[in-house]
């Protein structure tokens, strides 16, 4: 067996949207619905343009691209309502909770670091069933600058009391990877199928499956996968 890429892992910091949760389609749907509310037709071709961006950045993009004039507060409230209704059907990314659970059982400290608002982040945590009073999480409401700025990851390390060099970050977007690298952390880019590895920072370790992610972290998820299959 090949060697484990990451050793001396003190903590794992997870991105939420697209990494732990298969929520990108819900965010895209809320955007399409918001644009439709203002008489603008849009489709899935917007997705690459919004991947990893904050709500404010997406609003600015829509103002420039489509000429919408609604202010950010009203825009964000409408999108949030759309997303919260859809979040009832939210599912985890395939295999993500197996790796998350294996890390918890191994005694590794974990945190969630998201570019989403606190309200939407909490909705995702509830939908995935991983709410925990002890869980450290950072939303875009908790920082002055979201990803790709390193501040969200720096704050999570401070809250958890760990050195950046102990942390391995799991991200799915180039924006998130950039933030983690700038924070001085090691990064695993769990890329969506079909994503070119060259789109990520060269220092990131790119994987395409939960099994490869678990191996990179030195975790065994085979027994958890078997248990999940028996429950189906």
């Amino acid at each position: 067996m090949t060697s484990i890429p990451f050793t001396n892992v003190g903590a794992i910091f997870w991105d939420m949207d697209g990494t732990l949760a298969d929520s990108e389609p819900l965010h895209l749907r809320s955007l399409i619905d918001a644009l439709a509310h203002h008489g603008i037709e849009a489709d899935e071709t917007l997705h690459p343009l919004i991947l990893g961006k904050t709500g404010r950045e997406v609003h600015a993009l829509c103002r420039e691209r489509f000429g919408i004039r609604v202010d950010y507060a009203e825009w964000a409230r409408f999108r949030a309502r759309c997303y919260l209704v859809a979040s009832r059907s939210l599912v985890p990314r395939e295999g993500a909770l197996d790796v998350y659970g294996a890390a918890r059982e191994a005694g590794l400290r974990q945190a969630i670091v998201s570019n989403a608002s606190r309200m939407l982040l909490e909705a995702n945590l509830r939908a995935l069933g991983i709410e925990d009073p002890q869980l450290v999480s950072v939303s875009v409401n908790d920082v002055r600058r979201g990803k790709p700025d390193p501040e969200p990851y720096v704050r999570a390390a401070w809250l958890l009391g760990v050195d950046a060099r102990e942390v391995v970050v799991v991200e799915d977007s180039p924006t998130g990877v950039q933030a983690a690298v700038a924070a001085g952390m090691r990064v695993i880019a769990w890329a969506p199928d079909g994503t070119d590895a060259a789109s990520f920072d060269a220092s990131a370790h790119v994987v395409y499956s939960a099994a490869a992610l678990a191996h990179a972290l030195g975790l065994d998820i085979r027994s958890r996968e078997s248990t999940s299959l028996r429950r189906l």
Side-chain angles (χ1 to χ4, degrees):
M1 178 178 287
T2 57
S3 61
I4 298 169
F6 292 91
T7 57
N8 302 318
V9 179
I12 302 172
F13 289 178
W14 296 86
D15 172 55
M16 173 58 81
D17 292 304
T19 303
L20 275 176
D22 187 18
S23 54
E24 294 295 348
L26 277 64
H27 283 289
L28 179 60
R29 185 71 255 169
S30 75
L31 174 59
I32 291 173
D33 288 348
L35 289 170
H37 183 67
H38 294 281
I40 299 165
E41 291 188 14
D43 57 27
E44 288 74 10
T45 58
L46 279 176
H47 184 249
L49 301 178
I50 67 170
L51 183 63
K53 295 186 181 299
T54 66
R56 286 190 179 276
E57 288 171 333
V58 173
H59 176 249
L61 182 150
C62 289
R63 285 177 62 90
E64 179 180 348
R65 188 180 183 91
F66 300 111
I68 64 167
R69 292 291 176 260
V70 62
D71 66 31
Y72 176 70
E74 181 181 342
W75 169 264
R77 283 193 295 270
F78 185 88
R79 282 196 67 191
R81 287 195 297 270
C82 293
Y83 185 90
L84 290 174
V85 171
S87 69
R88 299 165 189 167
S89 61
L90 180 69
V91 296
R93 186 174 180 180
E94 185 176 359
L97 294 189
D98 289 326
V99 183
Y100 185 89
R104 182 175 55 205
E105 291 168 5
L108 291 172
R109 289 173 288 181
Q110 300 185 92
I112 313 294
V113 182
S114 176
N115 250 5
S117 69
R118 170 56 57 185
M119 182 171 66
L120 299 191
L121 176 56
E122 295 292 346
N124 287 348
L125 292 171
R126 284 194 298 274
L128 297 183
I130 57 174
E131 285 182 302
D132 185 331
Q134 304 304 311
L135 177 64
V136 168
S137 63
V138 176
S139 75
V140 77
N141 297 117
D142 303 316
V143 294
R144 293 169 298 172
R145 295 174 294 274
K147 307 171 193 177
D149 193 275
E151 184 183 356
Y153 280 113
V154 171
R155 179 165 179 78
W158 180 79
L159 289 170
L160 209 58
V162 296
D163 188 283
R165 293 168 294 184
E166 299 177 65
V167 178
V168 174
V169 171
V170 184
E171 274 279 359
D172 75 309
S173 73
T175 298
V177 168
Q178 182 182 339
V181 170
M185 298 172 181
R186 295 170 288 172
V187 189
I188 300 175
W190 185 7
D193 291 340
T195 304
D196 186 352
S199 63
F200 297 100
D201 186 280
S203 66
H205 178 75
V206 182
V207 300
Y208 290 91
S209 69
L213 172 62
H215 174 68
L217 292 167
L219 300 170
D220 185 356
I221 61 171
R222 288 172 296 181
S223 61
R224 299 182 64 85
E225 290 173 331
S226 299
T227 301
S228 297
L229 288 171
R230 287 198 298 271
R231 289 173 178 167
L232 295 177

